[in-house]
Amino acid sequence: MIKLPMLATGTNMTEQEETHPVAYATNVTKEITNISKEITNDTTKDLEINEKPLQVLLYFTHSSEAYQPIVEKKVGLKAVNYHPTTNITNVSALVTQHFQLHGDSVDVLPTENIKDMKISGAYATIRPYLQQQLASKQYDLLLDLHRDSLKHERTRIVFNDTSYARVSFVVGAEHTNYKLNEAFAKAVSEDVNRMIPSISRGVIPKSGDNVDGVYNQDLSSHALLVELGGIENTEEEINRTIAILTKAISNVFENTKATNY
């Protein structure tokens, strides 16, 4: 059963103190009961805390990527794909809280102090910061969240009268961890599709000219680059998909005991 935290405006998780507002969490409480009933599976149990919590490093290589409906709603700007503050990084707290529901632990790599964090060359720019963080702590998963540039008709799916943002998994094919990362991405892709059929657009290997080909995934055999929705997905669709994605990741690690990589 997928459980959603109580994250509507002015409402926080029980016994958890928020240090900053959750920007992508409005109108979620009304859907908790319905989603809990709809997204059930005989093989999926209620919340179980893993004996060894999954250690996740969450980061955003393209931190200014934004969703047009959310930018318009929050700051009144229309047709804006990039924004310095109202952007994909605002999902950090929600992603963290969903992982915590499954007993997992999340660190968020800070990007506000990284200079020249532009789309061009961003993977090279963020790499030393990733390496520094990895030198200080061991992580089971590196999770790099992005927003795709596709329009709504390709990044939205409706299941049981509820809409979700679709996801895809990009794997750099030009490094030695390629096959390991690809296998892990395929497992997560299959699990999200088990819960919401076709919510994943699949695993996309990248190599050759005009692509990075590595995406810093050589730093871990369990590195995920996830395209979370597209430029026209709504706040509610993003929120729902985060619940599915984090549950699937926890499922894959729990089922394979794939920790300490």
Side-chain angles (χ1 to χ4, degrees), residues 67-86:
Y67 302 92
Q68 291 181 6
I70 299 175
V71 175
E72 183 174 359
K73 179 180 178 181
K74 301 294 182 183
V75 297
L77 299 176
K78 294 184 178 181
V80 173
N81 295 338
Y82 299 92
H83 195 273
T85 56
T86 304

Side-chain angles (χ1 to χ4, degrees), residues 4-8 11-13 29 32 97:
L4 292 177
M6 303 294 285
L7 289 174
T11 308
N12 296 326
M13 288 182 64
T29 53
I32 292 175
Q97 291 180 9

